[in-house]
């Protein structure tokens, strides 16, 4: 049993410490109070789960010569973790038009309350007369006959219950907040209700144990499951949105590769920021890689833009069945025009003249009007370019390019006849 509990606790600890490292790196790149609080919470949570595992609990007890000493840092660490979540919620969910001074005062009051509770718990625990087996899962009920332990546990449960319920209540204020914060708050709220299940299980078990009855000891042990589930929910609340955003950025970086190759890799490698642009690493700081990729693509589009042909855009519209969404049709037109422009850019001047394409380089003003999407707002550029990249191999693009080639060939073959006819006149 203890081996299984140790494995579960250590697994949660590894998860917490890994996230702590991730948040620490983010903090080093962009130091903010929020990232500092998250880093501290995950680090403390990881250490708590290591100490709370039966193996960690026993090791710490042997090191200090008191088998139950680990209980104090474990419970203090639990309060610190949930206090951090509570404070983040207070910072993110002020009532509408609430002055910042009121928000700071609220945070200060709760911080003081947590500090006083931890101090009182420490004093009570250090004055407790502990005896019996050192079982981390049954400490609450086995030691409840000690008045000091009872005070220690009562403070713990009251503060934890008040904090989790207040966090749940505040987390329901999500209007006007950032989408990532709304995601975190939804999970904070649900996780706090789950964690309150630990209080509901522990309180009656401890109360009966204080009067010498151990009938609800198993219920008290079961309460730890609510604590684990609540911690995992809070963990996802603090990381889920960021992880989802990171996965989307990685996905978009990969999706943009064909478009980058078309207008940068096959056009002018001087547009690259560095040689790594050709094959970027998409496991690290993906946002920087993605931003560089978008800038390089836009530079590449500007390079081939003078070769943009209205013939290709017209061919797409002629072949379209008019049922495509506007965004998708614009992406297909852009993809077709760019494929044609990149090919014309790369073709030698002699080849274009031989084929009768003496006006391959369009005037800047004319070319600018051919390529759609050039006036896209900066915040929408990423989504537009991803749509274009995915449309490069669309059947309509290939068909439009073939139709354009046919029309150009026909125009080139008719040109000598026109010249001959004008000569006879």
């Amino acid at each position: 049993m203890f081996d299984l509990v140790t494995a579960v606790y250590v697994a949660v600890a590894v998860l917490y410490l890994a996230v702590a490292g991730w948040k620490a790196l983010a903090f080093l790149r962009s130091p903010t109070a929020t990232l500092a609080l998250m880093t501290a919470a995950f680090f403390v949570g990881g250490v708590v789960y290591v100490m709370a595992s039966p193996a960690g609990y026993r090791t710490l007890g042997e090191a200090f010569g008191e088998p139950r000493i680990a209980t104090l840092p474990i419970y203090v660490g639990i309060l610190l973790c949930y206090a951090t979540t509570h404070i983040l919620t207070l910072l993110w969910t002020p009532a509408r038009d609430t002055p910042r001074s009121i928000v700071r005062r609220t945070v200060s009051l709760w911080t003081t309350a947590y500090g006083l509770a931890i101090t009182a718990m420490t004093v009570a625990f250090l004055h407790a007369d502990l005896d019996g087996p050192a079982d981390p899962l049954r400490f609450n009920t086995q030691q409840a006959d000690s008045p000091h332990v009872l005070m220690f546990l009562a403070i713990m449960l009251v503060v934890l219950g008040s904090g989790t319920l207040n966090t749940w209540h505040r987390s329901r204020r999500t209007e006007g907040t950032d989408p990532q914060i709304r995601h975190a708050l939804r999970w904070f709220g649900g996780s706090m209700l789950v964690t309150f299940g630990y209080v509901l299980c522990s309180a009656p078990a401890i109360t009966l144990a204080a009067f010498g009855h151990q009938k609800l000891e198993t219920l008290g042990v079961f309460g730890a499951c609510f604590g684990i589930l609540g911690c995992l929910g809070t963990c996802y609340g603090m990381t889920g949105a960021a992880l989802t955003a990171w996965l989307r950025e990685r996905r978009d970086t990969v999706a943009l590769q064909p478009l980058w190759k078309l207008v940068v890799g096959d056009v002018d490698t001087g547009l690259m920021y560095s040689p790594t642009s050709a094959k970027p690493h998409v496991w690290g700081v993906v946002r920087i890689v993605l931003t560089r990729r978008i800038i390089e693509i836009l530079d590449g589009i500007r390079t081939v833009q003078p070769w943009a042909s209205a013939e290709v855009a017209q061919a797409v519209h002629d072949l379209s069945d008019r049922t495509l969404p506007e965004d998708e049709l614009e992406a297909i037109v852009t993809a077709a025009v760019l494929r044609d422009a990149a090919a014309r850019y790369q073709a030698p001047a002699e080849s274009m003249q031989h084929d009768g394409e003496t006006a391959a380089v369009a005037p800047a003003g004319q070319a600018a009007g051919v390529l759609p999407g050039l006036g896209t707002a900066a915040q929408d550029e990423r989504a537009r370019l991803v749509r274009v990249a995915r449309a490069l191999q669309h059947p309509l693009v290939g068909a439009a390019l073939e139709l354009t080639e046919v029309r150009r060939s026909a125009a080139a073959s008719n040109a000598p006849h026109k010249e001959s006819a004008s000569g006879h006149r």
Side-chain angles (χ1 to χ4, degrees):
M1 173 66 177
F2 276 10
D3 290 341
L4 175 61
V5 174
T6 296
V8 172
Y9 277 35
V10 169
V12 176
V14 169
L15 173 64
Y16 262 67
L17 293 175
V19 176
W22 178 26
K23 294 296 181 181
L25 290 175
F27 175 79
L28 292 176
R29 291 195 302 270
S30 177
T32 63
T34 297
L35 285 173
L37 287 172
M38 288 184 177
T39 302
F42 280 114
F43 178 76
V44 172
V47 173
V48 164
Y49 269 101
V50 170
M51 293 188 298
S53 67
Y57 193 90
R58 185 168 53 250
T59 301
L60 199 62
E62 292 172 355
F64 283 88
E66 167 50 60
R68 306 160 202 83
I69 191 64
T71 302
L72 178 60
I74 289 170
Y75 281 37
V76 168
I78 290 172
L79 275 190
L80 287 175
C81 287
Y82 283 99
T84 302
T85 305
H86 190 186
I87 290 170
L88 282 173
T89 305
L90 293 174
L91 291 173
W92 285 340
T93 58
R96 184 171 298 177
D97 300 326
T98 302
R100 296 302 299 174
S101 59
I102 300 297
V103 177
R104 287 194 294 269
R105 189 182 309 163
T106 304
V107 171
S108 298
L109 288 173
W110 274 102
T111 302
T112 302
Y114 281 114
L116 291 175
I118 289 172
T119 302
M121 286 171 59
T122 303
V123 172
F125 186 88
L126 295 178
H127 284 81
D129 183 18
L130 304 175
D131 58 9
D135 186 342
L137 299 178
R138 292 176 170 77
F139 175 89
N140 291 357
T141 51
Q142 289 179 345
Q143 306 297 327
D145 56 345
S146 168
H148 289 95
V149 171
L150 198 58
M151 182 182 298
F152 168 81
L153 296 174
I155 296 171
M156 163 72 179
L157 294 179
V158 168
V159 175
L160 182 62
S162 301
T164 52
L165 289 179
N166 188 262
T167 304
W168 167 74
H169 176 71
R170 295 295 294 251
S171 68
R172 299 164 72 185
R173 298 179 182 177
T174 59
E175 297 83 359
T177 55
D178 179 87
Q180 291 195 17
I181 292 179
R182 284 201 300 272
H183 175 278
L185 289 173
R186 284 196 298 268
W187 279 88
F188 283 1
S191 300
M192 292 307 107
L193 279 182
V194 172
T195 302
F196 188 68
Y198 171 80
V199 178
L200 294 178
C201 290
S202 299
I206 293 171
T207 302
L208 280 183
F211 291 98
H213 302 288
Q214 301 292 331
K215 295 180 180 179
L216 296 181
E217 185 179 61
T218 302
L219 178 64
V221 173
F222 181 72
C225 297
F226 288 101
I228 294 174
L229 293 176
C231 285
L232 292 177
T234 304
C235 179
Y236 182 75
M238 289 191 185
T239 62
L243 179 60
T244 301
W246 182 86
L247 289 173
R248 282 199 301 265
E249 289 164 358
R250 182 178 180 275
R251 177 200 64 196
D252 289 352
T253 301
V254 174
L256 288 171
Q257 175 68 21
L259 181 59
W260 180 92
K261 187 175 185 304
L262 177 69
V263 299
V264 178
D266 293 344
V267 168
D268 185 357
T269 55
L271 298 172
M272 297 191 301
Y273 275 75
S274 71
T276 60
S277 294
K279 195 173 182 180
H281 300 286
V282 290
W283 291 105
V285 188
V286 181
R287 183 164 300 176
I288 295 176
V289 174
L290 177 59
T291 302
R292 282 174 43 183
R293 173 136 295 193
I294 290 172
I295 294 172
E296 291 171 349
I297 288 173
L298 292 175
D299 288 343
I301 290 175
R302 279 190 288 270
T303 300
V304 302
Q305 181 181 335
W307 279 262
S309 171
E311 296 173 300
V312 183
Q314 185 59 49
V316 173
H317 287 292
D318 290 344
L319 294 171
S320 171
D321 59 5
R322 311 296 181 184
T323 62
L324 292 172
E326 184 178 346
D327 286 349
E328 185 178 352
L329 180 60
E330 180 185 284
I332 292 172
V333 171
T334 306
V337 171
L338 286 177
R339 280 183 57 177
D340 177 70
R344 286 152 63 85
Y345 175 90
Q346 297 172 66
E350 297 82 12
S351 175
M352 289 192 294
Q353 291 174 0
H354 181 269
D355 292 337
E357 298 184 29
T358 56
V361 180
Q366 178 184 345
V370 171
L371 200 59
L374 295 181
T376 303
Q379 65 268 22
D380 300 325
E381 198 66 84
R382 169 182 159 190
R384 180 182 79 92
L385 293 179
V386 168
R387 287 196 298 270
V388 172
R390 289 174 175 159
L392 287 174
Q393 301 303 322
H394 194 282
L396 189 54
V397 171
L401 293 176
E402 291 177 4
L403 177 59
T404 301
E405 202 58 40
V406 170
R407 288 174 175 176
R408 284 174 180 165
S409 298
S413 62
N414 289 334
H417 297 293
K418 292 181 180 178
E419 291 178 4
S420 175
S422 62
H424 284 300
R425 291 195 190 97

